[in-house]
């Protein structure tokens, strides 16, 4: 007779903050003793772990919205109800406590009592790149691109062009087979960690103990460093309050921003996840009974709307001002949400960086920033040797390139807007300026992370094409030689060196003063260039007031 397989359940586990006084304080007030929906503990048997507490909720019934709305056409639908159940088990593990949730149990938890990102920290230490089957993330830059990716069996994220650097990762799913954490089936990681296990809670207890140990005693795996480096802040922390004030001053352009402790790196208007901007015609901005309408979706338009509403300089506006996206008929095409959920903001100083995305503040761990800055320090700065002229804050890039080529005639050749043929029939720019030493110089003014992303990509793509596309290489050499034979040798040797020439105000350092995502992007493209035998370099173009 075949042995009966032990019964298994999926356990969804949240780590309670060590500062929470008791399990009751980990519940929302209405679920505590004496509350309207109080969860009452039931006595455990001897087989349950010592001090484990189970709190089942009373089933609740609710008429679905569709049943209410369609009842007039189909009488009797209003009698249809959905029944919801919940249970929370508070399980001691080592010197900590986990809330193990079933059904709607997690909705009974007080979120300020939960260790955010615990599941992701476990995943960062125990997943391998080929373990992942799914992720959901949001890019921390002006694009605020949200991605949800499912990886085919046997595939890897890198095969799909997915890079976790610069991503606010909210969910990772995959299989874990590291020592001490061999689990059956898929593991789902976010703020919580969810996994299958036998119903013996002592087994769950041991698994969670191993997870705690891995988080406390080991570092994130290669490729998961950025996931681990974002530390969520609680809303009532002192730094969160100061950051909210700084955000309001930046949006309303009030206060003395020269004296602030945090310098702005990014401030952008960006939609929440549930809003498809291609469906949006207008965004209604509500401040109490007063409203303004956005037809252009930018931080400048938002600032104008807030001025029209006579918005006060107080952190309360981040919650009290509500935005409603509407279509051409004036119907909502997304939920009404507070202002803070529509903003991307990064601020920092020499030692600290903070990011706001999807309404949540994160601290970027100093160790990650230090490693990032160290990696970027390996990129040579050629500002002095190239001697590119200064620019003004109003000079167009096209005009600057032409002037630089004229001033440095014989040293650099103007290649801006000259299109070179490729094997597949496209025409691309090889660079903006070609230096007689073989530098492909790409020029951009720093005015946001999206601009720099384009610059870094342009330099890498051009170099890779010149390396591997014979049609482009031949046409490039012919075009350069026909323009100025003195640069023939430089054209034939290219691409040996790619130079990113960035126009910056004196107040910003290059590259350490760039936004975090831009630094991450620069490091990634510099790595790509080195892998193809090309040396990445930087040059600063001093930007002066007009």
């Amino acid at each position: 007779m075949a042995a009966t397989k032990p019964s298994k359940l999926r356990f969804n586990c949240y780590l309670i903050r060590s500062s929470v006084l008791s399990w009751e304080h980990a519940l929302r007030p209405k679920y505590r003793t004496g509350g309207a929906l109080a969860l009452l503990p039931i006595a455990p048997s001897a087989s349950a772990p010592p001090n484990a507490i189970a709190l089942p909720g009373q089933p609740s019934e609710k008429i679905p919205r569709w049943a209410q709305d369609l009842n007039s056409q189909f009488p009797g639908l209003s009698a249809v109800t959905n029944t919801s159940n919940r249970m929370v088990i508070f399980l001691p593990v080592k010197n900590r406590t986990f809330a193990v949730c079933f059904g709607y149990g997690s909705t009974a938890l007080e979120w300020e009592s939960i260790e955010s990102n615990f599941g992701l920290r476990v995943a960062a230490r125990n997943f391998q790149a080929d373990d992942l089957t799914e992720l959901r993330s949001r890019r921390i830059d002006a694009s605020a691109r949200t991605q949800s990716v499912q990886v085919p069996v046997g595939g890897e994220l890198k095969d799909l062009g997915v890079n976790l650097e610069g991503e606010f990762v909210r969910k990772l799913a995959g299989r874990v087979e590291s020592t001490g954490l061999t689990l059956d089936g898929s593991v789902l990681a976010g703020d919580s960690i969810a996994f299958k296990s036998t119903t013996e809670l002592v087994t769950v207890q041991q698994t969670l103990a191993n997870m705690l140990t891995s988080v406390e005693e080991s570092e994130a795996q290669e490729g998961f460093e950025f996931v681990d480096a974002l530390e969520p802040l609680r809303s009532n922390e002192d730094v969160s309050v100061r950051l909210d004030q700084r955000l309001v001053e930046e949006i309303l352009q009030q206060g003395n921003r020269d004296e602030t402790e945090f310098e702005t790196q990014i401030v952008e208007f960006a939609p929440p996840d549930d809003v498809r901007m291609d469906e949006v015609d207008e965004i209604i901005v509500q401040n109490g009974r007063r409203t303004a309408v956005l037809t252009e979706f930018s931080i400048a338009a938002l600032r104008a709307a807030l001025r029209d509403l006579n918005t006060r300089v107080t952190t309360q506006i981040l919650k009290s001002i509500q935005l409603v996206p509407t279509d051409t008929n004036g119907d909502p095409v997304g939920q009404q949400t507070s202002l803070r959920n529509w903003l991307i903001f990064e601020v920092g100083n020499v030692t600290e960086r903070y990011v706001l995305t999807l309404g949540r503040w994160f601290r970027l761990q100093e160790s990650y920033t230090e490693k990032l800055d160290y990696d970027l320090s390996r990129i040579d700065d050629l500002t002095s040797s190239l001697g590119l002229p200064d620019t003004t804050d109003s000079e167009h890039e096209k005009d600057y390139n032409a002037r630089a080529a004229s001033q440095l005639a014989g040293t650099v050749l103007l290649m801006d807007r000259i299109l070179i043929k490729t094997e597949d029939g496209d025409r691309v720019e090889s660079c903006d300026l070609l230096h007689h030493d073989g530098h492909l110089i790409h020029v951009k003014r720093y005015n946001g992370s999206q601009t720099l992303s384009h610059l870094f990509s342009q330099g890498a793509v051009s170099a890779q094409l010149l390396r591997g596309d014979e049609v482009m290489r031949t046409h490039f050499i012919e075009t350069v030689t026909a323009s100025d034979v003195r640069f023939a040798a430089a054209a034939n040797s290219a691409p040996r060196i790619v130079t990113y020439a960035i126009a910056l105000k004196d107040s910003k350092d290059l590259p350490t003063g760039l936004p975090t995502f831009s630094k991450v992007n620069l490091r990634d493209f510099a790595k790509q260039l080195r892998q193809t035998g090309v040396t990445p370099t930087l040059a600063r173009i001093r930007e002066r007031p007009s």
Side-chain angles (χ1 to χ4, degrees), residues 280-424:
V280 178
D281 183 55
E282 296 180 341
I283 297 176
I284 310 301
V285 183
Q286 299 177 342
N287 187 9
R289 295 183 178 180
R290 292 173 294 173
T291 63
V293 177
L294 294 181
T295 54
E296 176 190 335
F297 311 131
S298 66
I299 195 69
L302 175 65
R303 283 173 170 151
L306 295 177
R307 285 194 296 270
D308 291 343
L309 294 173
N310 297 317
T311 305
R312 297 171 58 194
V313 185
T314 167
T315 58
Q316 291 302 311
I317 68 168
L318 297 175
K319 182 177 181 180
S320 62
I321 291 182
Q322 301 283 308
L323 279 70
V324 184
T326 61
D327 60 18
T328 54
N329 297 319
D331 296 324
V333 289
Q335 294 182 359
Q336 175 175 309
T337 47
S338 61
L339 174 61
R340 72 182 304 122
N341 290 285
W342 288 78
L343 298 169
I344 295 284
F345 191 47
E346 180 182 338
V347 292
N349 52 34
V350 176
T351 60
E352 297 175 293
R353 286 281 176 117
Y354 298 93
V355 174
L356 177 84
T357 184
L358 293 175
R360 298 176 67 184
W361 279 112
F362 295 86
R363 177 190 287 111
L364 188 64
Q365 290 181 3
E366 186 177 350
S367 59
Y368 181 85
T369 301
E370 289 174 351
K371 177 62 166 59
L372 182 57
D373 288 345
Y374 169 76
D375 291 343
L376 295 182
S377 70
R378 297 173 53 221
I379 303 176
D380 289 339
D381 188 327
L382 304 183
T383 302
S384 297
S385 61
L386 292 182
L388 295 172
D390 296 351
T391 187
T392 65
D393 55 16
S394 61
E395 186 174 29
H396 193 277
E397 179 188 314
K398 173 175 67 71
D399 298 328
Y400 173 81
N401 290 332
R403 182 169 61 82
S406 175
Q407 287 184 214
L408 299 175
T411 301
V412 299
L413 178 67
L414 183 64
M415 296 295 291
D416 184 22
R417 299 169 191 272
I418 297 175
L419 300 181
I420 309 298
K421 293 183 293 187
T422 66
E423 283 182 357
D424 59 10

